Amino acid sequence: MKKIPVAILGATGSVGQKFIELLSNHPWFEITELAASEKSVGKKYKDATKWVMSNILKDEIGNLEVKNCVPNLKSKLVFSALDSSVAGEIETDFANNGYFVISNSKNHRFDEDVPLLIPEVNPEHLELVKNKNGAIVTNPNCSTIGMVLALKPLHDAFGIETVNVVTMQAVSGGGYPGVPSMDIIDNIIPYISGEEEKMKTEPLKILGKFSNGTIQNAKIKISAQCNRVSVIDGHLENVQIKFSKKPTKEEILNVWKNFKSLPQNLNLPSAPKIPIYYFEENHLPQPRLNRNLENGMAVSVGRLRECEIFDFKFAVLSHNTIRGAAGGTLLIAELMKAQGYFNGIINE
Amino acid sequence: MKKIPVAILGATGSVGQKFIELLSNHPWFEITELAASEKSVGKKYKDATKWVMSNILKDEIGNLEVKNCVPNLKSKLVFSALDSSVAGEIETDFANNGYFVISNSKNHRFDEDVPLLIPEVNPEHLELVKNKNGAIVTNPNCSTIGMVLALKPLHDAFGIETVNVVTMQAVSGGGYPGVPSMDIIDNIIPYISGEEEKMKTEPLKILGKFSNGTIQNAKIKISAQCNRVSVIDGHLENVQIKFSKKPTKEEILNVWKNFKSLPQNLNLPSAPKIPIYYFEENHLPQPRLNRNLENGMAVSVGRLRECEIFDFKFAVLSHNTIRGAAGGTLLIAELMKAQGYFNGIINE
Amino acid sequence: MKKIPVAILGATGSVGQKFIELLSNHPWFEITELAASEKSVGKKYKDATKWVMSNILKDEIGNLEVKNCVPNLKSKLVFSALDSSVAGEIETDFANNGYFVISNSKNHRFDEDVPLLIPEVNPEHLELVKNKNGAIVTNPNCSTIGMVLALKPLHDAFGIETVNVVTMQAVSGGGYPGVPSMDIIDNIIPYISGEEEKMKTEPLKILGKFSNGTIQNAKIKISAQCNRVSVIDGHLENVQIKFSKKPTKEEILNVWKNFKSLPQNLNLPSAPKIPIYYFEENHLPQPRLNRNLENGMAVSVGRLRECEIFDFKFAVLSHNTIRGAAGGTLLIAELMKAQGYFNGIINE
Amino acid sequence: MKKIPVAILGATGSVGQKFIELLSNHPWFEITELAASEKSVGKKYKDATKWVMSNILKDEIGNLEVKNCVPNLKSKLVFSALDSSVAGEIETDFANNGYFVISNSKNHRFDEDVPLLIPEVNPEHLELVKNKNGAIVTNPNCSTIGMVLALKPLHDAFGIETVNVVTMQAVSGGGYPGVPSMDIIDNIIPYISGEEEKMKTEPLKILGKFSNGTIQNAKIKISAQCNRVSVIDGHLENVQIKFSKKPTKEEILNVWKNFKSLPQNLNLPSAPKIPIYYFEENHLPQPRLNRNLENGMAVSVGRLRECEIFDFKFAVLSHNTIRGAAGGTLLIAELMKAQGYFNGIINE
């Protein structure tokens, strides 16, 4: 099979670098173009970026000449790792010119015709862009994804009314250079700009019902408190839930254990075999020990117990730059490819 | 004034060391005896402990010979930093033999005749040991103290019905050697043994009403989730409250701003001039920046905002080994001294 | 090919766990027995250890019953991760009873009939145990291995007279629980017990000449200063060298670039394709970015420059628990297998 | 005594903030003006900076209006915390207009008429600016100061020929925001731009002889290797020395123990009572435990031992933003005040 050529917008940032890392040796996609801001254009990629990934940058990528973020790229499938200060217009521009933009940026997440997608959670929302010749599909915020993955099977089975969440988020979520070391060594920052708002709005769209061509938001009350901690990768969240109908602990564990979804059924290349791992040990999940499960695409859950205020509480962990960013976005593209969304842009 | 001689039980551990640090140059108390477990007895203190404080150990303390933890000490006032595996019996033994034991250990916190005391919060509970010749008075758990200090004026003013708290706790809370570095660098541990139980029970006694010689526990529903993070000192907690009668944000801020209590009125040596600091900046309070306020005896509060589920939410920080342990215990002794509890044991 | 059954002595410690992780799916070896100290014997492995690796412990290993460290094991090939307080006698006991003990412990490193081996550096020293029916072969200290790998091709080409090294070593080198978090967060410990002595003696044996059945130690003057820093894995070392005949920078780079040795030629399963990577960027090598090169078996070198006092100076990094411990030990076993040392213990 | 009014240039950066912290309640100096770059001018100081010190910013300072860095300030004594990209011209401009500029910036350190000063080491170099009406005096680099303080008495007593140093430097040395957290959590950076050059040149001027109005550089061969580690404050350095005449270990310890200099004799407010502390314990000095000795103005030394290559080796620690930056600069001003250099600019 000939691979589908892809471009990365905002390739020089840390999410852009993670896309490059994950797309290395991908069975379906092949990076052919990298685009970034004015100051990088025309340079070799390796000279335009400070590579901060742990895999060595391959020459075939490092020697690509960085292009402008304008819709004259050859690849019709583009991954966007653009900064939100510029992503809005550029992504629209690409979509209007016949490109499929799979974006990690927040700008279009709440556009009515744009799916906000976690492939295991709401794959049916992709119909919003069915038969379109050019479209934007967005990946949720890194702190939203892990939690909603853990919530999805519970919501389907028992109905979730209220979610209370406190996050302890890794510094890589702030990009590079991002969080200054002086702010986080031996420290915690009890605030992440915009994060709490995202966590209380995004799940409602993601868990919403798709019917008659539109999404009916879920009715769940959510409160989020977001903290930055001294961890490189992996967001850990303490979650409390009130259900419409309170299940037993065993029922919840069963629902998690049996959860599989379309990406697993389609055997997508980046899909975790098991999307949700439950750990019996009290001291798990931990970012450093569990974030890389299934190449960083699984979420880890633990400490499920009854709550004095809500029905249940537990801890959930996911890798914020893989499942929560580049990996999640890539999985969207794989799902779209598997379902034929890109047939029109593949020259075979 | 001649200083009151004091002894420290469990002097070789990290809380014991902190007692020594805080009692250095104390205006009222003077360390004259150090006691510890069998393996240290008979050694010079400096040879029996690995000193991990940042102030240099003075020779006058370092050269003291470590004694047994049996009630034949000359000082009638003893601070206990004993491990909970042995504190129960030893402290009882001392109290029964005419000593005043001010303890940081958990063993007797819920004994009916033992005050569980935060001097600014429930000084009236000291009456439990009035006119006693020998008694135990206990300091609450390090994660409890900061939160309850912030809750106290709110509870008095508006009535608290429900408290939901998630903690991010410093490694010094686990003692020395305590938390292994391999467990916490680039990591979080979502569990601290026994901690959640303490946080949901201790506040009820502390905020309870003293009448007719007994304490009526407060009726507050509490849920706690406790995490260990990569911070040396300072527990940061995300707190949510539901009140009997919901106040405005300004009313809460006013209540905090105007809070003073007996230790401030008595001008106790270790009492913070201002017990509760409120920070307007979104990124505060932070452990590294704010834990040492008022020599580590003040609590710092910030990010007060309305909550989607409860009435309000905010972040509170306190120094776990000072206000939350040795410093809080010392303040209890100062309060008792100022109120004449030690008159019988002072030879003047 | 039927796999060779192997046992691990000291299986419950962190090096033991790393052996289990690395031997999972090994093409030549298969874990069939785990042994540890008295208090673990008879328990299932998963109940006898606190698993701190990031890969999930497989049930087939976790359910093995822990055995005693006595030479009645069925596997004739044993990897030793024993603590040095007990390794001496136990390893001798096994060797005397016909076992091949490949050890990560320090006890026998300087025994005359025991090779101290880095497979790329001194594979010929294995002849010390040729035709033996049972023997001990040892892996050097974790801080020695990375440095000596970088030195080997330079010593062969230009002759090394003097080596000055300062190390910044990861906490995992201290085992689990090992270094307390209170000692290393926001801190450095300028001392590691016994480490400097190892670094100035081990390289002399490893780089020694094997002739007439004995090893003639190399004549190199070495000074080492060892520090513990807040890094999980990966020892970084600043090295300065004086040569017999000073080469140019390009000559050194060429020698490193072209270095391959027996493990590469034999294509051993754990051998890095490229043993030594040189980085041109000033800010490399870094522990977090480069320690996992070639699955943690390569060493990374950078910042080669002329020195004001010695001839050259540079930085070298290697993964201390993989190349510097379990991985290095495993590579020794692979080399021995490939050269037929185990023919007598393989039942085929 | 009326306090001398002082201004701070570059007041909004982290060194500027540290000046403000140290000058709070200073017995001789009083901040009356703050100056910074164009974008801050005209704002209240508290709105122009992100305060990252742990002491709360006082309103009397926070409400000062930030001024331009041009020589129309009323205070004739200015502390410069300017970035080196602009410090050169601005400082010259001030000096030419009758101001005394005590600078922490590197730009003028090697000017022939500018002292590069550590008050305990080369106070006599101040004569370079004697009787001048306006002048620049500079503080050395943060990694230089601690080492040279430890070297000074040894150089005087035994003559130093060669110094080999490897540094492990705190992130605060890089300013704010400075070192990204993604670069340093669980990591080391083996390179700090320009640092090694400073360490091998600055000591030669500082330890140089002042005679006939000029400084004769010391003749010492120095090699430096500089690393950034995950520490907030405190540079730890491994130092090796070759002497003209090798002393015994006891002789070195005696020389350090007895070292006092002019700042101690003059009892300057910021002078440490004891400039050099020696620790017998193998595990000391450590940044977190010892950096704050004497309010961060003392240096800590430990692990003195004979060296296989040089004569002796040891570890030295100093607080890089206090002794190594703002505190060291302040001590220069105190020395100048005590010696009458500012008589012309004091209105009494």
Side-chain angles (χ1 to χ4, degrees):
Chain A
M1 186 181 83
K2 212 178 136 223
K3 293 186 183 178
I4 301 176
V6 302
I8 297 170
L9 307 181
T12 54
S14 63
V15 176
Q17 293 188 2
K18 186 57 87 177
F19 270 121
I20 291 173
E21 203 174 54
L22 295 179
L23 284 164
S24 170
N25 301 318
H26 193 277
W28 296 355
F29 305 126
E30 180 178 30
I31 297 173
T32 54
E33 290 162 299
L34 300 173
S37 68
E38 204 58 51
K39 69 170 191 286
S40 299
V41 173
K43 293 183 188 168
K44 285 188 180 176
Y45 179 70
K46 67 181 173 192
D47 300 325
T49 192
K50 183 181 171 196
W51 186 252
V52 294
M53 300 291 114
S54 58
N55 289 305
I56 291 181
L57 178 62
K58 293 181 185 172
D59 275 347
E60 66 201 64
I61 300 295
N63 290 328
L64 285 177
E65 189 185 310
V66 178
K67 303 192 171 179
N68 254 310
C69 290
V70 291
N72 61 8
L73 301 179
K74 287 179 204 129
S75 327
K76 290 300 177 186
L77 173 57
V78 300
F79 292 103
S80 168
L82 289 167
D83 190 80
S84 59
S85 60
V86 298
E89 251 181 273
I90 293 176
E91 292 179 3
T92 301
D93 204 13
F94 271 85
N96 287 344
N97 281 279
Y99 290 79
F100 284 95
V101 182
I102 322 293
S103 173
N104 193 55
S105 300
K106 70 179 180 188
N107 307 59
H108 294 287
R109 285 179 187 157
F110 290 97
D111 290 4
E112 278 196 13
D113 56 348
V114 170
L116 178 59
L117 209 79
I118 304 174
E120 283 91 345
V121 174
N122 58 338
E124 70 279 9
H125 289 196
L126 269 184
E127 294 196 26
L128 279 176
V129 297
K130 203 164 192 174
N131 300 321
K132 283 207 182 165
N133 178 22
I136 299 170
V137 180
T138 58
N139 190 46
N141 187 49
C142 55
S143 58
T144 303
I145 293 180
M147 179 178 78
V148 174
L149 257 166
L151 295 184
K152 167 66 176 176
L154 307 184
H155 190 49
D156 285 351
F158 316 115
I160 293 176
E161 290 189 349
T162 312
V163 174
N164 195 54
V165 59
V166 170
T167 70
M168 290 159 276
Q169 300 185 219
V171 296
S172 59
Y176 185 87
V179 183
S181 55
M182 285 184 69
D183 280 349
I184 207 68
I185 293 176
D186 183 20
N187 210 12
I188 306 167
I189 309 172
Y191 177 67
I192 303 174
S193 177
E195 203 79 0
E196 297 175 351
E197 188 66 19
K198 289 175 198 164
M199 288 200 76
K200 81 181 199 194
T201 53
E202 292 182 2
L204 306 185
K205 179 169 180 180
I206 302 168
L207 293 171
K209 283 226 159 64
F210 182 79
S211 64
N212 297 325
T214 61
I215 295 165
Q216 305 295 323
N217 276 6
K219 299 257 182 285
I220 301 173
K221 205 190 294 183
I222 305 178
S223 164
Q225 297 171 86
C226 296
N227 302 277
R228 186 78 73 193
V229 296
S230 189
V231 166
I232 283 287
D233 290 316
H235 291 351
L236 184 70
E237 308 182 356
N238 282 187
V239 180
Q240 294 163 293
I241 302 182
K242 183 150 180 19
F243 293 99
S244 309
K245 185 171 157 290
K246 183 179 174 177
T248 66
K249 183 178 173 184
E250 283 61 41
E251 286 172 325
I252 292 177
L253 293 179
N254 268 329
V255 159
W256 275 334
K257 183 184 263 180
N258 295 318
F259 180 63
K260 301 237 163 158
S261 184
L262 197 50
Q264 284 71 41
N265 298 337
L266 293 173
N267 208 17
L268 299 180
S270 301
K273 299 267 169 294
I274 300 170
I276 300 173
Y277 282 75
Y278 186 81
F279 290 88
E280 297 287 345
E281 299 91 337
N282 263 327
H283 63 284
L284 300 178
Q286 293 178 10
R288 198 171 69 78
L289 292 186
N290 306 122
R291 64 192 170 203
N292 288 320
L293 264 176
E294 302 252 12
N295 300 313
M297 290 297 287
V299 304
S300 299
V301 185
R303 297 212 68 213
L304 179 69
R305 57 212 191 278
E306 296 214 20
C307 180
E308 297 79 358
I309 299 176
F310 300 85
D311 288 339
F312 281 94
K313 48 188 173 184
F314 58 88
V316 60
L317 168 81
S318 66
H319 195 301
N320 56 299
T321 69
I322 300 180
R323 172 49 92 160
T329 312
L330 175 54
L331 188 61
I332 294 173
E334 293 173 359
L335 177 60
M336 293 177 73
K337 156 77 174 74
Q339 297 193 311
Y341 281 83
F342 302 148
N343 287 349
I345 62 170
I346 304 177
N347 313 311
E348 275 175 316
Chain B
M1 186 180 83
K2 212 178 134 220
K3 292 188 183 176
I4 301 175
V6 301
I8 297 169
L9 307 180
T12 53
S14 63
V15 176
Q17 293 189 2
K18 186 57 86 177
F19 270 121
I20 291 173
E21 203 175 54
L22 294 179
L23 284 164
S24 169
N25 302 319
H26 193 276
W28 296 354
F29 305 125
E30 181 178 30
I31 297 173
T32 55
E33 291 163 300
L34 299 174
S37 67
E38 205 57 54
K39 70 170 191 285
S40 299
V41 172
K43 293 184 187 167
K44 285 189 181 177
Y45 179 69
K46 67 181 173 191
D47 300 325
T49 192
K50 184 184 170 192
W51 187 252
V52 294
M53 300 289 114
S54 59
N55 289 304
I56 290 181
L57 178 62
K58 293 180 184 174
D59 274 348
E60 67 201 64
I61 300 294
N63 289 328
L64 287 176
E65 189 185 308
V66 178
K67 302 191 170 179
N68 253 312
C69 290
V70 292
N72 60 8
L73 301 180
K74 288 179 205 130
S75 329
K76 290 299 177 189
L77 173 56
V78 301
F79 291 102
S80 167
L82 289 167
D83 190 80
S84 60
S85 61
V86 297
E89 255 182 86
I90 293 176
E91 292 179 1
T92 300
D93 204 14
F94 271 85
N96 288 344
N97 282 278
Y99 290 78
F100 284 94
V101 182
I102 322 293
S103 173
N104 193 55
S105 299
K106 70 179 182 187
N107 307 58
H108 295 287
R109 285 181 187 157
F110 290 97
D111 290 5
E112 278 196 12
D113 56 348
V114 170
L116 179 58
L117 209 79
I118 304 174
E120 283 90 344
V121 174
N122 58 336
E124 70 279 10
H125 289 197
L126 269 183
E127 295 196 26
L128 278 176
V129 298
K130 203 164 194 175
N131 300 321
K132 285 208 180 163
N133 178 21
I136 299 170
V137 180
T138 56
N139 190 47
N141 187 49
C142 55
S143 57
T144 304
I145 293 181
M147 180 179 77
V148 174
L149 257 164
L151 295 183
K152 166 65 175 175
L154 307 185
H155 190 49
D156 285 353
F158 317 114
I160 293 176
E161 291 190 347
T162 312
V163 174
N164 195 54
V165 59
V166 171
T167 70
M168 290 159 276
Q169 302 186 219
V171 295
S172 60
Y176 185 86
V179 183
S181 54
M182 283 185 67
D183 280 349
I184 206 69
I185 293 175
D186 183 20
N187 210 12
I188 305 166
I189 310 172
Y191 177 68
I192 303 174
S193 176
E195 203 77 1
E196 297 175 351
E197 188 65 19
K198 290 174 197 164
M199 290 200 75
K200 80 181 201 193
T201 54
E202 292 183 2
L204 306 185
K205 179 169 181 180
I206 302 168
L207 292 171
K209 283 227 158 62
F210 181 79
S211 64
N212 297 325
T214 61
I215 294 165
Q216 306 295 324
N217 276 7
K219 300 259 184 284
I220 299 173
K221 203 191 295 183
I222 305 178
S223 163
Q225 297 171 85
C226 296
N227 303 277
R228 187 77 74 193
V229 296
S230 189
V231 166
I232 283 287
D233 290 316
H235 291 350
L236 183 70
E237 307 181 356
N238 283 187
V239 180
Q240 294 163 292
I241 302 183
K242 183 151 180 20
F243 294 99
S244 310
K245 186 171 155 291
K246 182 180 175 179
T248 66
K249 183 178 173 185
E250 282 62 41
E251 287 172 323
I252 292 177
L253 292 179
N254 268 330
V255 159
W256 275 333
K257 184 185 262 181
N258 295 318
F259 180 63
K260 301 237 164 160
S261 184
L262 198 49
Q264 284 70 43
N265 297 338
L266 294 172
N267 207 16
L268 300 179
S270 301
K273 300 267 171 293
I274 299 171
I276 301 172
Y277 283 74
Y278 186 81
F279 290 88
E280 296 287 345
E281 299 90 337
N282 262 328
H283 63 284
L284 301 178
Q286 291 179 11
R288 198 170 68 76
L289 293 186
N290 306 121
R291 63 192 171 203
N292 289 320
L293 264 177
E294 301 253 12
N295 300 314
M297 289 298 286
V299 303
S300 300
V301 185
R303 297 212 70 211
L304 178 69
R305 58 212 190 280
E306 295 212 23
C307 178
E308 296 79 359
I309 299 176
F310 300 85
D311 289 339
F312 281 95
K313 48 187 172 184
F314 59 88
V316 61
L317 168 82
S318 67
H319 195 300
N320 56 299
T321 70
I322 301 180
R323 171 50 91 160
T329 311
L330 175 54
L331 189 61
I332 294 173
E334 293 174 358
L335 177 61
M336 292 177 73
K337 156 75 175 75
Q339 298 193 309
Y341 281 83
F342 302 148
N343 288 349
I345 62 170
I346 305 179
N347 313 312
E348 273 174 318
Chain C
M1 187 179 82
K2 216 180 133 217
K3 293 186 183 178
I4 300 176
V6 301
I8 298 170
L9 307 180
T12 54
S14 64
V15 176
Q17 293 188 4
K18 185 58 86 176
F19 271 121
I20 291 173
E21 203 175 53
L22 295 179
L23 284 165
S24 169
N25 301 318
H26 193 277
W28 295 354
F29 305 126
E30 179 178 32
I31 296 173
T32 54
E33 290 163 298
L34 299 174
S37 67
E38 204 58 51
K39 69 169 191 288
S40 298
V41 173
K43 292 183 187 166
K44 285 188 181 177
Y45 178 69
K46 67 182 173 191
D47 299 326
T49 192
K50 184 182 169 196
W51 187 251
V52 295
M53 300 290 114
S54 59
N55 289 305
I56 290 180
L57 178 62
K58 293 181 186 172
D59 273 349
E60 66 201 65
I61 301 294
N63 289 329
L64 285 177
E65 189 186 307
V66 178
K67 302 191 171 178
N68 254 310
C69 290
V70 292
N72 61 8
L73 301 180
K74 287 180 204 129
S75 328
K76 290 300 177 188
L77 173 56
V78 301
F79 291 104
S80 168
L82 289 167
D83 190 80
S84 60
S85 60
V86 298
E89 253 181 272
I90 293 176
E91 292 179 3
T92 301
D93 205 12
F94 270 85
N96 288 345
N97 281 277
Y99 290 78
F100 284 95
V101 181
I102 321 293
S103 174
N104 192 55
S105 300
K106 69 178 181 189
N107 307 59
H108 295 287
R109 285 180 187 157
F110 291 97
D111 291 4
E112 277 196 14
D113 56 347
V114 170
L116 179 58
L117 208 79
I118 303 174
E120 283 91 344
V121 174
N122 58 337
E124 71 278 9
H125 290 196
L126 269 183
E127 294 196 26
L128 279 175
V129 298
K130 204 165 190 176
N131 300 321
K132 284 206 180 165
N133 177 22
I136 299 171
V137 179
T138 57
N139 190 47
N141 186 49
C142 55
S143 57
T144 304
I145 293 180
M147 179 179 77
V148 174
L149 257 165
L151 295 183
K152 166 66 176 176
L154 307 185
H155 190 50
D156 285 351
F158 316 114
I160 293 175
E161 290 190 348
T162 312
V163 174
N164 195 53
V165 59
V166 170
T167 70
M168 290 159 277
Q169 302 185 218
V171 295
S172 60
Y176 185 87
V179 183
S181 54
M182 285 185 67
D183 280 349
I184 206 68
I185 293 176
D186 183 19
N187 210 13
I188 305 167
I189 310 172
Y191 177 68
I192 303 174
S193 177
E195 203 79 0
E196 297 175 352
E197 188 65 19
K198 288 174 199 165
M199 289 199 76
K200 81 180 201 194
T201 53
E202 292 182 3
L204 307 185
K205 178 168 180 179
I206 302 168
L207 293 171
K209 282 227 160 62
F210 181 80
S211 64
N212 298 324
T214 62
I215 295 166
Q216 306 295 325
N217 277 6
K219 300 256 183 285
I220 301 173
K221 203 190 295 184
I222 304 179
S223 164
Q225 296 171 86
C226 296
N227 303 277
R228 186 78 73 192
V229 295
S230 188
V231 166
I232 283 287
D233 290 316
H235 291 351
L236 184 69
E237 307 182 355
N238 283 186
V239 180
Q240 295 163 292
I241 302 182
K242 184 152 179 17
F243 293 99
S244 311
K245 183 169 159 293
K246 183 179 174 178
T248 65
K249 182 178 173 185
E250 283 61 40
E251 286 173 323
I252 292 177
L253 293 179
N254 267 330
V255 159
W256 274 334
K257 183 184 262 180
N258 295 320
F259 179 64
K260 302 239 162 157
S261 184
L262 197 51
Q264 284 71 41
N265 297 338
L266 293 172
N267 207 17
L268 300 179
S270 300
K273 300 269 170 290
I274 301 171
I276 301 172
Y277 282 73
Y278 186 80
F279 290 89
E280 297 286 345
E281 298 91 336
N282 263 328
H283 63 284
L284 300 179
Q286 292 179 12
R288 198 171 68 77
L289 293 186
N290 307 121
R291 62 194 170 203
N292 289 320
L293 264 177
E294 301 252 12
N295 300 314
M297 290 298 287
V299 304
S300 299
V301 185
R303 297 212 67 212
L304 178 69
R305 57 210 191 280
E306 296 214 20
C307 179
E308 296 79 0
I309 299 175
F310 300 85
D311 288 339
F312 281 95
K313 49 188 172 184
F314 58 89
V316 60
L317 168 82
S318 66
H319 195 301
N320 56 300
T321 70
I322 301 179
R323 171 50 92 160
T329 312
L330 176 53
L331 188 62
I332 293 173
E334 293 173 358
L335 177 61
M336 293 177 73
K337 155 76 175 76
Q339 298 192 311
Y341 281 82
F342 302 148
N343 288 348
I345 62 171
I346 305 177
N347 312 309
E348 274 174 317
Chain D
M1 187 180 83
K2 211 176 135 225
K3 293 187 183 175
I4 300 176
V6 302
I8 297 169
L9 308 180
T12 53
S14 63
V15 176
Q17 293 188 3
K18 186 57 87 177
F19 271 121
I20 291 172
E21 204 175 54
L22 294 179
L23 284 165
S24 170
N25 301 318
H26 194 277
W28 296 355
F29 305 125
E30 181 178 30
I31 297 173
T32 54
E33 290 163 300
L34 300 174
S37 67
E38 205 57 51
K39 70 170 190 287
S40 298
V41 173
K43 293 183 186 168
K44 286 189 179 177
Y45 179 69
K46 68 181 172 190
D47 299 326
T49 192
K50 185 185 170 192
W51 186 252
V52 294
M53 300 290 114
S54 58
N55 289 305
I56 290 180
L57 178 63
K58 293 180 186 174
D59 275 348
E60 67 201 65
I61 300 295
N63 288 329
L64 286 176
E65 190 185 307
V66 178
K67 301 191 171 178
N68 253 312
C69 290
V70 291
N72 60 8
L73 302 179
K74 289 181 203 126
S75 328
K76 290 299 178 189
L77 173 55
V78 300
F79 291 103
S80 167
L82 289 167
D83 189 81
S84 60
S85 61
V86 298
E89 253 181 89
I90 293 176
E91 293 179 2
T92 300
D93 204 13
F94 271 85
N96 288 343
N97 281 278
Y99 291 79
F100 284 94
V101 182
I102 321 293
S103 173
N104 193 55
S105 300
K106 69 178 182 187
N107 307 58
H108 294 287
R109 284 179 188 158
F110 291 98
D111 290 4
E112 278 196 12
D113 56 349
V114 170
L116 179 59
L117 209 80
I118 303 175
E120 283 91 345
V121 174
N122 57 337
E124 70 279 9
H125 289 198
L126 269 184
E127 294 197 26
L128 279 176
V129 297
K130 204 166 192 174
N131 300 321
K132 285 210 182 165
N133 178 21
I136 299 170
V137 180
T138 57
N139 191 46
N141 186 49
C142 55
S143 57
T144 303
I145 293 179
M147 180 179 78
V148 173
L149 257 165
L151 295 184
K152 166 68 176 173
L154 307 185
H155 190 49
D156 285 353
F158 316 114
I160 292 176
E161 291 190 348
T162 312
V163 174
N164 195 52
V165 58
V166 170
T167 70
M168 290 158 277
Q169 302 186 218
V171 295
S172 60
Y176 185 86
V179 182
S181 54
M182 284 185 69
D183 279 350
I184 206 69
I185 293 175
D186 182 20
N187 210 11
I188 306 166
I189 311 173
Y191 176 68
I192 302 174
S193 176
E195 204 79 0
E196 297 175 351
E197 187 65 19
K198 288 175 197 164
M199 290 201 75
K200 81 179 201 196
T201 54
E202 292 183 3
L204 307 184
K205 179 169 181 180
I206 302 168
L207 293 171
K209 283 226 159 62
F210 181 80
S211 65
N212 297 325
T214 61
I215 295 165
Q216 305 296 322
N217 276 6
K219 300 257 182 284
I220 300 173
K221 204 191 293 183
I222 305 178
S223 163
Q225 297 171 85
C226 295
N227 302 277
R228 185 78 74 193
V229 295
S230 188
V231 167
I232 283 287
D233 290 316
H235 291 350
L236 184 69
E237 307 181 356
N238 282 187
V239 181
Q240 295 163 293
I241 302 183
K242 182 150 183 18
F243 293 100
S244 309
K245 184 170 159 291
K246 183 179 174 178
T248 65
K249 183 178 171 182
E250 284 62 41
E251 286 173 324
I252 292 177
L253 293 179
N254 267 330
V255 159
W256 274 335
K257 183 184 262 180
N258 295 318
F259 180 63
K260 300 237 164 160
S261 184
L262 197 50
Q264 284 71 43
N265 298 337
L266 294 172
N267 208 16
L268 300 180
S270 302
K273 300 266 170 293
I274 300 170
I276 300 173
Y277 283 75
Y278 186 81
F279 290 89
E280 298 286 346
E281 297 90 337
N282 263 328
H283 62 285
L284 299 179
Q286 292 178 11
R288 199 171 69 77
L289 293 186
N290 306 122
R291 64 192 170 204
N292 288 320
L293 264 178
E294 302 253 13
N295 300 314
M297 289 298 287
V299 304
S300 300
V301 185
R303 298 213 66 213
L304 179 68
R305 57 210 190 281
E306 296 212 22
C307 180
E308 296 78 359
I309 299 176
F310 300 86
D311 288 340
F312 281 94
K313 48 187 172 184
F314 60 88
V316 61
L317 169 82
S318 66
H319 195 302
N320 55 300
T321 70
I322 301 180
R323 172 49 92 160
T329 312
L330 176 53
L331 189 61
I332 294 173
E334 293 174 359
L335 177 61
M336 294 177 72
K337 157 74 175 74
Q339 298 193 310
Y341 280 82
F342 301 148
N343 288 349
I345 61 171
I346 304 178
N347 312 311
E348 275 175 318

